[in-house]
Amino acid sequence: MTSAIDTTAERLARLPGNLPDDAVIVAQNLTRDYVMGSETVRALRGVDLVIRRNEYVAIMGPSGSGKSTMMNVIGCLDTPTAGTYWFDGEDVAGLSADALAAIRNR
């Protein structure tokens, strides 16, 4: 678990080496499945995404393609079924409910 005194540079240094130094949002092989009765809906299937500091990004696609699910994962409102998601150099899966709420508040 990360310490509250970690600087952004220290957190970003923990990211995989092949990513840009200014990566703020990093998703690797994200999947999100929803079980509805006897059926499983695969909303995200192996999504990879890197968003750099000061970069503008649009998530576009047809209805049912997973846009809202992806935004909910990025916004820490939902968790992926599999894969990894880093926000500002921190692995979101290891954060407490209070830390996730602080991210959403920012």
Side-chain angles (χ1 to χ4, degrees):
M1 182 167 224
T2 60
S3 166
I5 61 173
D6 288 349
T7 66
T8 299
E10 289 170 333
R11 289 192 309 269
L12 291 175
R14 295 185 192 119
L15 290 174
N18 60 339
L19 297 172
D21 292 340
D22 59 348
V24 177
I25 291 175
V26 176
Q28 291 186 325
N29 201 30
L30 282 188
T31 63
R32 181 62 172 110
D33 300 338
Y34 295 98
V35 178
M36 299 186 160
S38 62
E39 195 171 319
T40 300
V41 176
R42 303 195 186 289
L44 300 177
R45 300 178 202 170
V47 176
D48 293 323
L49 175 71
V50 176
I51 301 176
R52 301 170 81 162
R53 191 167 309 286
N54 297 319
E55 184 174 35
Y56 290 90
V57 175
I59 297 178
M60 300 170 30
S63 178
S65 64
K67 300 177 302 290
S68 295
T69 300
M70 188 66 188
M71 292 302 297
N72 286 335
V73 170
I74 289 172
C76 298
L77 294 169
D78 198 359
T79 56
T81 304
T84 53
Y85 169 45
W86 291 276
F87 178 77
D88 200 22
E90 292 195 63
D91 185 353
V92 172
L95 297 178
S96 68
D98 288 342
L100 291 172
I103 288 173
R104 289 192 300 270
N105 193 30
R106 284 192 282 164

